[in-house]
Amino acid sequence: MVKVTVHRKAHFNAAHRLYNSEWSDARNATVFGKCANPHYHGHNYELIVAVKGEINPETGFVMDMKILKQLIEVEIEEEFDHKNLNEEVAAFKNLNPTAENIAVIIWNILRKKIATELNLTVTLYETPRNFVVYEGA
Ligand code: NI
């Protein structure tokens, strides 16, 4: 059976600060640069969720995109959009909200909601030129 990958794009704006509380301010500034700003800063995150699997012969779909769209809206956009990730999203209370960690958190949330026979990949753009991809451990 052939496998096809369907993609859904989504977007959220969020603020964050990158820092390691075990380090000095100077070391945080050296490693994280402007992203260590204690007053936070924002990014326009672009999210691409890819779901790969066999085409269901009854529907012709790999996954109903209406369901995927709604899943991303409810589970990701409503939770992350216009939030301060460090302060308002529980997953980042003790986890640096880098693009890498945000992608893993998003993958973990969506993985629980998507049929196990489908492969899931999360691509997250923090800037138009910087992006990360997570396909599961
Ligand atoms: Ni940043």
Side-chain angles (χ1 to χ4, degrees), residues 74-92:
V74 171
E75 301 290 337
I76 308 302
E77 292 173 305
E78 286 180 16
E79 297 299 319
F80 290 26
D81 190 41
H82 285 73
K83 296 284 176 69
N84 177 319
L85 298 176
N86 303 74
E87 298 285 333
E88 298 182 277
V89 178
F92 302 110

Side-chain angles (χ1 to χ4, degrees), residues 14-18 32 34-36 41-43 45 97-98 126-127:
H16 75 167
R17 179 193 183 200
L18 302 183
F32 297 119
K34 288 180 179 174
C35 280
H41 64 277
H43 290 282
Y45 290 98
T98 57
E126 189 170 72
T127 74

Side-chain angles (χ1 to χ4, degrees), residues 6-7 13 19 24 27-29 37 48 62 71 81-82 84 86 90 102 124:
V6 299
H7 297 77
N13 300 315
Y19 73 108
S24 67
R27 187 171 177 196
N28 273 293
N37 178 353
I48 301 171
V62 171
L71 193 57
D81 190 41
H82 285 73
N84 177 319
N86 303 74
I102 299 168
L124 184 70

Side-chain angles (χ1 to χ4, degrees), residues 31-103:
V31 173
F32 297 119
K34 288 180 179 174
C35 280
N37 178 353
H39 301 291
Y40 302 95
H41 64 277
H43 290 282
N44 296 316
Y45 290 98
E46 296 288 346
L47 172 66
I48 301 171
V49 176
V51 177
K52 182 178 182 180
E54 295 179 357
I55 299 171
N56 179 317
E58 286 187 308
T59 60
F61 294 156
V62 171
M63 180 176 179
D64 186 332
M65 293 299 266
K66 292 189 302 297
I67 293 171
L68 183 59
K69 175 185 179 218
Q70 192 178 22
L71 193 57
I72 296 167
E73 280 175 0
V74 171
E75 301 290 337
I76 308 302
E77 292 173 305
E78 286 180 16
E79 297 299 319
F80 290 26
D81 190 41
H82 285 73
K83 296 284 176 69
N84 177 319
L85 298 176
N86 303 74
E87 298 285 333
E88 298 182 277
V89 178
F92 302 110
K93 279 289 175 213
N94 297 303
L95 182 67
N96 218 8
T98 57
E100 291 90 328
N101 281 330
I102 299 168

